Amino acid sequence: MSRIKLIKGDITKLEIDAIANAANSSLLGGSGVDGAIHRAAGIDLLEECRTLNGCPTGEAKITKGYKLAAKYVIHCVGPIWNGGNNNEDALLESCYTNALKIATNFGIKSIAFPNISTGIYSFPKNRAANIVLSVVEKYLENNSIPEIVYFVCFDDENYNIYKNLIRE
Ligand code: ADP
């Protein structure tokens, strides 16, 4: 488990290779962590995002990090929770897997993820954490890059959920 680390705080402050963003499918900025990343990265991030023509739910696209300390941003579009019978679990899983595949292709050694979909998109936090940890662990077992994955929890509830699951 040593390739998985937990951090409490603000993902925009991290000095690592890449941070993942919980974006919406327009990729043109939003609230929550998306807004924080765009504010910290500056207007050039939005300019690059405009060239990407959006991103479908469950997929991910990479940009540079601009004014962020992180070199890259991997924009992930998580599912909006709609009761749980609308493919939400698989879509959440696939946005993490697709971000990790991009990280492998770009030789990104360290990547940090926020708790995608668990804010405004209302995915139940405990359910999300279980899905995310198992998919990331499985990916790391089969891939040597990224070397380290950070989970950055902004709220106490997510932090405590991850802390307990990582301990198990
Ligand atoms: P979504 O629409 O995918 O639910 P949100 O941005 O609303 O995205 O929330 C996703 C998660 O990001 C939430 O758990 C929220 O607490 C967290 N979050 C908000 N701001 C930050 C930040 N600056 N750094 C890390 N996580 C953040």
Side-chain angles (χ1 to χ4, degrees):
M1 288 292 280
S2 60
R3 290 167 68 198
I4 291 182
K5 312 244 187 241
L6 181 61
I7 294 179
K8 172 104 177 43
D10 181 351
I11 202 168
T12 66
K13 307 288 186 216
L14 298 187
E15 295 180 21
I16 54 170
D17 292 345
I19 62 172
N21 183 14
N24 59 52
S25 56
S26 77
L27 298 184
L28 299 180
S31 52
V33 69
D34 194 6
I37 288 172
H38 276 273
R39 276 193 300 279
I43 193 74
D44 291 340
L45 176 61
L46 184 60
E47 284 303 312
E48 185 174 356
C49 284
R50 281 191 215 284
T51 69
L52 300 177
N53 298 314
C55 180
T57 303
E59 295 186 18
K61 290 189 177 178
I62 190 167
T63 65
K64 289 186 274 185
Y66 300 97
K67 288 184 187 164
L68 292 164
K71 207 164 150 195
Y72 297 105
V73 180
I74 301 178
H75 304 265
C76 302
V77 183
I80 299 172
W81 181 258
N82 186 21
N85 293 319
N86 293 282
N87 213 25
E88 292 96 329
D89 293 350
L91 289 167
L92 186 69
E93 200 175 301
S94 80
C95 71
Y96 280 84
T97 307
N98 285 322
L100 289 166
K101 284 182 185 162
I102 291 172
T104 303
N105 290 338
F106 277 73
I108 286 167
K109 290 185 181 166
S110 54
I111 178 169
F113 285 98
N115 306 127
I116 296 169
S117 286
T118 69
I120 292 155
Y121 282 3
S122 301
F123 202 107
K125 291 176 182 178
N126 199 44
R127 181 167 174 147
N130 277 285
I131 291 167
V132 167
L133 273 168
S134 79
V135 72
V136 171
E137 276 170 20
K138 198 168 100 194
Y139 190 89
L140 293 180
E141 273 168 26
N142 295 314
N143 294 275
S144 56
I145 303 287
E147 291 172 355
I148 309 266
V149 173
Y150 296 91
F151 291 107
V152 184
C153 299
F154 199 62
D155 56 277
D156 290 333
E157 196 186 346
N158 265 316
Y159 181 73
N160 289 326
I161 290 168
Y162 273 81
K163 202 164 79 179
N164 288 326
L165 285 173
I166 288 172
R167 211 187 270 140
E168 274 166 13

